[in-house]
């Protein structure tokens, strides 16, 4: 298996697969195709969650830093 793949790749692939299933069901494709791809998609969700939760990600941010895109100054310091 590929070891140095970002978990965001798994998120993107899973999202695209599940959106594809939604489009396929709207186009009235055969039920067996949609069913098997849905089961595969559920397995991909489990794999995606595992990869995201076991990622070796570290940060210096804490909850006191608020949101990363809109940091607030710590007024106690």
């Amino acid at each position: 298996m590929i070891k140095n793949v970002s978990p965001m790749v798994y998120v993107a692939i899973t999202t695209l697969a599940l959106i594809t299933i939604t489009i396929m069901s709207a186009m009235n494709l055969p039920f067996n195709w949609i069913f098997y791809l849905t089961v595969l998609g559920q397995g991909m969700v489990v794999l995606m969650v595992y990869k995201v939760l076991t990622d070796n990600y570290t940060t210096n941010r804490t909850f006191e830093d608020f949101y990363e895109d809109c940091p607030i100054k710590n007024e106690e310091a």
Side-chain angles (χ1 to χ4, degrees):
M1 257 192 145
I2 302 172
K3 293 186 178 188
N4 295 329
V5 176
S6 170
M8 295 310 290
V9 172
Y10 290 98
V11 172
I13 291 171
T14 303
T15 302
L16 289 174
L18 296 177
I19 289 172
T20 303
I21 293 169
T22 305
I23 293 169
M24 289 173 65
S25 65
M27 294 175 59
N28 290 328
L29 263 69
F31 176 76
N32 59 344
W33 281 59
I34 296 170
F35 176 76
Y36 293 129
L37 288 176
T38 301
V39 171
L40 179 67
Q42 290 173 348
M44 291 173 69
V45 168
V46 171
L47 178 65
M48 173 191 67
V49 169
Y50 173 77
K51 291 293 186 178
V52 168
L53 292 179
T54 59
D55 185 32
N56 190 16
Y57 176 79
T58 58
T59 183
N60 294 328
R61 302 251 184 204
T62 64
F63 286 109
E64 293 176 355
D65 294 325
F66 199 55
Y67 293 107
E68 188 171 326
D69 61 343
C70 185
I72 58 174
K73 303 279 188 225
N74 190 355
E75 295 181 15
E76 295 173 8

